[in-house]
Amino acid sequence: MRAYDAAMAASWAMLPEAIEQLIEIAARENDPTPEALEAYRAARADNGERLTIRGNVGILSAKGPMFKGANLMTAFSGATSYETLRRDLQVALDDRSIDAIMVRVDSPGGEVNGVDELAAAIYDARAKKPTWAFISGQGASGGYWVASAAEKIIVSDSAMVGSIGVVLGITDRKKADERSGISRLEFVSSQSPGKRPDIETDAGKAKVQKLVDDLGTVFVNAVAKYRGVTADEVLKNFGAGGLEVGANAVAHGMADEVGQFEAALARLSQRGKNRAFIQSQKRIFGYA
């Protein structure tokens, strides 16, 4: 499958302009070869890891467009893989020198596929080590989904936060095929009438819309759970699919405070040390 077809077939929790940019890259006639991409990857190897350690804090970098797994597009664009972040998160949890975890987000979002698993893992990590998120630049759509799972969200003054929702694009190539003299015949098993909904009919459009709405509901419910509010509150106060900037995001309950990364890191470091000390005392004195 060409990169263009894969991009068009996916569901996205991502800013529209970022999706358009990815589609444009995928649609280029002269697709990059695996060899060229491997050379590009090698040149950036020093920056390829998503986990770094500052003192006693492990920092996970969720930067750029996000995909479930590493692929040619992630290698070419320097995007983030959910699976890589999940593995690095486990490393941070297992490393006894790391007392706390900071998820540093600057992302327009990404694929729906896989983001729920990463967010759930971040949410579970809160019970093991203090886990905060810091958003600078963008924490949009899938990027916000990931950040919302942390116990505290700190945003920079100009951070753009939100864009809660799902987008699914379908390309109708019938006219282009007709101009090219291409005739396509497709047979679908009669037991599966919902497998290829006809988007030229109202019924077909309704089926596709329901799919997108169902995915959107999963997104909203996840944010509600992670932020400790109801789904109705998310729908009412969290931008309705739009973005809020800095302090406005805090006022709407989408984030907890405005701050700077270094100051937030220092506070998280101390919180991690305090929790580690308390846990050590419990072990010494046999507390539950």
Side-chain angles (χ1 to χ4, degrees), residues 60-90:
L60 291 173
S61 178
K63 187 175 183 180
M66 298 191 291
F67 298 83
K68 182 175 183 179
N71 53 39
L72 293 182
M73 289 190 67
T74 60
F76 182 68
S77 65
T80 295
S81 159
Y82 298 133
E83 292 176 351
T84 298
L85 284 176
R86 177 64 186 88
R87 288 193 298 269
D88 284 351
L89 174 64
Q90 192 60 52

Side-chain angles (χ1 to χ4, degrees), residues 46 58 67 210 232 253:
D46 290 342
F67 298 83
K210 182 180 183 302
D232 286 341

Side-chain angles (χ1 to χ4, degrees), residues 1-10 12 23 26-27 73 169 171 173 184:
M1 179 182 289
R2 286 175 54 110
Y4 176 85
D5 296 319
M8 289 304 301
W12 298 98
I23 296 298
M73 289 190 67
T171 299
R173 297 183 176 179
R184 295 179 186 271

